[in-house]
Amino acid sequence: MSDYWIFNGYAQWLIVVGFPIFASSLVLYFSRVHRELVFFLRVLWIFMISGLIFIGVLITFAIPLLVIGLLTKNGAPNIGLY
């Protein structure tokens, strides 16, 4: 395995994990959610909520895919992440 493959795998996971958290953070930041908080606390709260949203989406989509993969003969389904 080359170093390029390792970097490519980390870059893919960074996009898969970072983009949804960043997108939901932007939506929450420009919404009317907790505008009374100071900037630092509001950003911290928004990242915490974005992380919870990401974990919820992960549980909603990843667990059924893993169960389907374990119940089929082919193993884990190919979802294009590896």
Side-chain angles (χ1 to χ4, degrees), residues 49-72:
I49 296 299
S50 297
L52 289 175
I53 290 170
F54 178 72
I55 290 170
V57 169
L58 204 64
I59 289 171
T60 302
F61 290 108
I63 289 177
L65 284 174
L66 290 174
V67 169
I68 290 169
L70 292 173
L71 296 176
T72 61

Side-chain angles (χ1 to χ4, degrees), residues 15-28 46-48 50-55:
I15 291 171
V16 167
V17 172
F19 182 73
I21 291 175
F22 180 71
S24 61
S25 297
L26 279 178
V27 169
L28 287 171
I46 286 172
F47 275 123
M48 183 183 66
S50 297
L52 289 175
I53 290 170
F54 178 72
I55 290 170

Side-chain angles (χ1 to χ4, degrees), residues 26-52:
L26 279 178
V27 169
L28 287 171
Y29 182 76
F30 289 112
S31 68
R32 295 179 182 231
V33 176
H34 287 292
R35 291 208 179 235
E36 72 277 359
L37 293 176
V38 295
F39 177 76
F40 177 75
L41 290 177
R42 185 168 184 237
V43 169
L44 186 67
W45 184 85
I46 286 172
F47 275 123
M48 183 183 66
I49 296 299
S50 297
L52 289 175

